[in-house]
Amino acid sequence: MKRASLHTLGCRLNQAETAVLTARLRRDGYRIVEFGELTDLLVVNTCSVTEEAERTCRYVIRKTLKHSPDAFVAVTGCYAQTGVQELRTIPGIDLIVGNQFKGDLPSFLPAPHSLKKQPDPEVLHTRTIDREDFILPEYGDPDSTRALLKIQDGCNVMCSFCLIPFARGRERSRLQDDVIQEAEILVAGGYRELVLTGVNIGQYRQDALDLVGLIARLERIEGLERIRISSIEPTTITNTLIDRMASSSKLCPYLHIPLQSGDDSILSSMNRPYSVKEFTLLIQRAMAAIPHLGLGTDIMVGFPGETEEAFEHTLDIARALPFSYFHVFTYSQRPGTAGAKLPNQVPAAVARSRAKTLTELSRLKRLAFAERYIGSILSVLFESGHLDGFSSGTTANFLRVNVPSSLDLTNQLKDVQITGTSDRWALGKLTPERHPLRIVPML
Ligand code: SF4
């Protein structure tokens, strides 16, 4: 049996798509091996959000060809879409598949027994990507306790630092029946939490059904315990969604809402469609309706024109708003984006020090969020594996919790009393089922 190794860079959507490719290659008779093991086929699902991501893609190929020099190398994903000319020049690549054909990549591979290196890569690429709503050619083989469910693709926003609209095309939604069918299969397969992924999922629209309507259909699936929204743009969060999250017994009280900057002039040159005030009002509305909301965000530092004063504005809002953590990104100039043409590029050392300051603040925010729950009883969905005698899992509002346990708690929902914190997770101890002290039914 031929071996296949898949490596994914970038976002949850890429991970969800790799799960689909994995299922298909398994069905085509490949044995899936861990990345780094000897292989006959390497599939790299790439990212082009930053220059670093593209560099890592090239490194992954070189590394694999060192131990498996005859491996057939197929490259797909956003770098294959936006960097096809560059990838053509990278030694060792045999097939380049743009995002239009990503889902069908296995159909473009030679038969397993006739995999062999090519003198030049075969290229399947279109400049633009179809706009139609879609179904998935295959359902995924998730490799984590929280199954990723792709519901949407593409983005029309055109933020001036972002390549994704060029890599993934215009907004489009997955047919609702196709989403429900895969969700039912995943739940029948034992998954208790589904994470809705896409690029701009708040723009989900299928016939008259929007994101809240889709969630209502998912909530009716027996055995599904949690529905989590991965990341959602601030301008797409409606009062209806907030109300649904406040009253639902399945929709997790968790929102990851990219802020990017706390300075209005930077937001405007980023082409982000909201002001700091509007973002703040949204957060206040959400927190008022959902007191235990887990709130994450993305913040970018070093965007052209970001003065010390503008950065101070970002620090102020990051401190003031009740974030439970934030992901910090350093601006990476992307060819073809409006940002790449902007003057006043920020020196790398300055951007790095700003990123360091924000990362430290995020650590303190995460700690403060965990400390809020010391003494409380929370429901935790445990993931596979043990770390130094600890089992790990997350609450519905995305607090990571570790408990000392020798039991295999994989994919189990357990009540845990929070006893302490570290700056990366809360510590707890298992308590008897359905403990009366548990905080609100959903947590
Ligand atoms: S909303 Fe902006 S940052 Fe997000 S994918 Fe669209 S263009 Fe990129």
Side-chain angles (χ1 to χ4, degrees):
M1 194 186 266
K2 289 288 184 182
R3 298 158 298 193
S5 167
L6 297 99
H7 190 74
T8 309
L9 295 136
C11 62
R12 282 185 170 148
L13 186 52
N14 251 13
Q15 289 161 28
E17 290 161 346
T18 298
V20 171
L21 294 174
T22 307
R24 174 68 190 280
L25 289 172
R26 229 185 230 121
R27 193 159 61 72
D28 290 355
Y30 284 92
R31 178 165 65 83
I32 306 298
V33 296
E34 286 301 313
F35 176 69
E37 285 182 31
L38 296 185
T39 190
D40 304 296
L41 167 65
L42 169 71
V43 175
V44 189
N45 189 0
T46 63
C47 170
S48 57
V49 155
T50 61
E51 212 174 321
E52 176 60 28
E54 294 180 351
R55 235 193 326 273
T56 311
C57 162
R58 298 190 292 269
Y59 165 75
V60 160
I61 295 167
R62 284 196 307 276
K63 183 169 181 228
T64 302
L65 289 174
K66 263 217 188 85
H67 62 69
S68 301
D70 301 327
F72 187 96
V73 176
V75 178
T76 190
C78 295
Y79 187 20
Q81 183 63 31
T82 58
V84 62
Q85 298 315 338
E86 187 175 23
L87 283 171
R88 278 176 190 273
T89 66
I90 309 287
I93 297 179
D94 303 291
L95 177 65
I96 301 170
V97 177
N99 276 339
Q100 176 65 39
F101 307 104
K102 178 194 260 187
D104 295 321
L105 180 150
S107 331
F108 305 114
L109 293 170
H113 59 268
S114 51
L115 279 176
K116 66 179 181 0
K117 300 296 295 166
Q118 305 296 309
D120 295 304
E122 184 187 352
V123 178
L124 291 126
H125 183 276
T126 53
R127 218 172 51 74
T128 58
I129 311 227
D130 285 356
R131 300 174 177 217
E132 285 75 38
D133 288 349
F134 59 93
I135 60 168
L136 290 188
E138 187 88 29
Y139 293 160
D141 248 359
D143 59 0
S144 66
T145 304
R146 293 193 302 274
L148 303 172
L149 186 63
K150 175 177 180 174
I151 65 166
Q152 187 270 351
D153 207 336
C155 185
N156 299 0
V157 180
M158 300 301 282
C159 299
S160 55
F161 54 78
C162 186
L163 261 184
I164 297 174
F166 304 97
R168 286 186 171 272
R170 308 286 290 175
E171 287 159 7
R172 52 205 187 279
S173 298
R174 184 174 169 193
L175 299 196
Q176 52 182 296
D177 292 347
D178 192 45
V179 174
I180 299 300
Q181 192 172 330
E182 183 179 9
E184 286 167 347
I185 289 169
L186 287 167
V187 174
Y191 291 93
R192 313 176 82 162
E193 177 173 324
L194 299 181
V195 183
L196 308 184
T197 69
V199 175
N200 197 350
I201 65 173
Q203 291 295 76
Y204 183 85
R205 200 70 84 256
Q206 223 271 301
D207 297 338
L209 196 86
D210 64 6
L211 180 62
V212 175
L214 182 69
I215 289 167
R217 284 197 66 186
L218 288 165
E219 284 173 335
R220 292 200 284 273
I221 298 176
E222 283 291 312
L224 178 56
E225 308 254 4
R226 291 181 176 177
I227 302 164
R228 188 178 302 282
I229 294 175
S230 53
S231 176
I232 185 166
E233 286 298 314
T235 49
T236 67
I237 299 176
T238 60
N239 290 343
T240 322
L241 178 63
I242 292 174
D243 296 344
R244 187 91 201 180
M245 193 172 273
S247 60
S248 172
S249 64
K250 293 190 179 185
L251 183 57
C252 292
Y254 166 77
L255 287 169
H256 184 98
I257 316 173
L259 167 66
Q260 303 299 7
S261 173
D263 181 85
D264 280 332
S265 67
I266 295 294
L267 284 177
S268 125
S269 59
M270 282 177 165
N271 193 30
R272 298 287 287 166
Y274 52 85
S275 67
V276 174
K277 187 151 186 290
E278 286 161 338
F279 189 93
T280 305
L281 289 172
L282 167 68
I283 300 303
Q284 289 166 347
R285 238 185 7 260
M287 295 309 292
I290 316 159
H292 288 286
L293 182 69
L295 181 65
T297 192
D298 296 336
I299 302 179
M300 178 180 286
V301 294
F303 188 77
E306 186 185 58
T307 58
E308 212 36 60
E309 190 199 359
F311 178 61
E312 283 305 319
H313 290 159
T314 297
L315 269 182
D316 294 345
I317 195 86
R319 284 195 196 98
L321 291 180
F323 294 120
S324 36
Y325 70 88
F326 27 88
H327 295 155
V328 181
F329 297 90
T330 304
Y331 171 69
S332 172
Q333 203 181 56
R334 306 310 301 139
T337 61
K341 304 186 194 79
L342 289 172
N344 308 323
Q345 300 281 331
V346 174
V350 174
R352 270 198 303 278
S353 99
R354 289 175 183 169
K356 204 156 165 264
T357 307
L358 269 175
T359 304
E360 171 54 16
L361 179 57
S362 175
R363 186 186 70 77
L364 297 173
K365 286 271 184 179
R366 208 183 269 276
L367 191 58
F369 182 60
E371 277 165 356
R372 261 179 71 185
Y373 293 102
I374 292 181
S376 307
I377 307 287
L378 306 177
S379 172
V380 173
L381 177 60
F382 284 94
E383 288 147 24
S384 53
H386 275 88
L387 190 67
D388 310 333
F390 282 82
S391 288
S392 183
T394 56
T395 63
N397 65 354
F398 219 46
L399 175 65
R400 176 151 296 280
V401 179
N402 285 10
V403 300
S405 162
S406 55
L407 305 170
D408 177 3
L409 299 174
T410 304
N411 201 27
Q412 294 186 42
L413 269 168
K414 291 281 183 193
D415 284 357
V416 173
Q417 177 152 40
I418 305 301
T419 54
T421 64
S422 79
D423 58 5
R424 287 174 54 215
W425 47 67
L427 298 166
K429 64 177 184 193
L430 293 172
T431 70
E433 285 303 326
R434 302 280 170 259
H435 196 290
L437 280 184
R438 181 202 281 197
I439 288 198
V440 289
M442 184 62 216
L443 269 188

